[in-house]
Amino acid sequence: MLKDTVRTRSYMNAILQNSFLFKGKTAGAKHVYAIECSSIAEQARQIVADNGYADSVTIVQGKAEEVTLPVDKVDIIISEWMGYFLLYESMLDTVIYARDKWLAPGGLVFPDTCRLLVTAIEDGDYRRDKIDFWDNV
Ligand SMILES: C[S@@+](CC[C@H](N)C(=O)[O-])C[C@H]1O[C@@H](n2cnc3c(N)ncnc32)[C@H](O)[C@@H]1O
């Protein structure tokens, strides 16, 4: 996923082009709490340290629904929760949980708007392989 530069740059641009929203906030300039449940958290912690941000970025390993943060509220929540067809991976519930638990009044969620574009297609090869197959087994 980290090789997906279109996706990752979209997040980078959203932050950089709205830097006035982040300045001094608990989400970027002042302090970042990054929650990740898998062991990639260890690499993230190392990358943060190697780049000299260990004092301002804290990696918290665990499920968002289970971890304890050293603060009660944050100003901004950023999450890359979107899966195939937007909702696959079921991470939206986690973001909503985090929002309800930690987001300060008037705080921001990035992204806060999504569009689902749907079109009908016919894939004849797929249909022949998976469905027409049963016409003559
Ligand atoms: C869609 S991936 C995005 C990964 C990374 N942010 C990136 O941009 O490459 C979602 C990440 O959230 C983690 N994750 C999923 N559910 C979680 C939860 N309930 N609490 C904490 N992390 C979770 C997964 O382990 C995965 O690394």
Side-chain angles (χ1 to χ4, degrees), residues 1-2 7-8 35-38 40 62-65 80-82 89 91 94:
M1 290 190 76
L2 292 174
R7 184 190 65 110
T8 304
I35 305 173
E36 168 57 50
C37 61
S38 77
I40 198 79
K63 287 192 161 192
E65 295 85 347
E80 206 296 82
W81 54 268
M82 292 161 285
E89 289 185 42
M91 271 200 65
T94 299

Side-chain angles (χ1 to χ4, degrees), residues 31-86:
H31 206 97
V32 177
Y33 298 98
I35 305 173
E36 168 57 50
C37 61
S38 77
S39 59
I40 198 79
E42 292 158 27
Q43 277 78 27
R45 197 173 286 126
Q46 188 64 53
I47 291 167
V48 166
D50 289 351
N51 284 279
Y53 288 106
D55 289 343
S56 54
V57 180
T58 303
I59 307 288
V60 180
Q61 186 169 3
K63 287 192 161 192
E65 295 85 347
E66 296 170 2
V67 297
T68 304
L69 293 186
V71 291
D72 288 337
K73 295 290 172 197
V74 300
D75 301 302
I76 299 176
I77 292 176
I78 304 177
S79 177
E80 206 296 82
W81 54 268
M82 292 161 285
Y84 304 116
F85 207 60
L86 190 61

Side-chain angles (χ1 to χ4, degrees), residues 64-65 79 81 86-87 89-101:
E65 295 85 347
S79 177
W81 54 268
L86 190 61
L87 298 174
E89 289 185 42
S90 302
M91 271 200 65
L92 181 57
D93 288 357
T94 299
V95 179
I96 291 171
Y97 176 93
R99 178 199 67 186
D100 293 348
K101 184 167 182 184

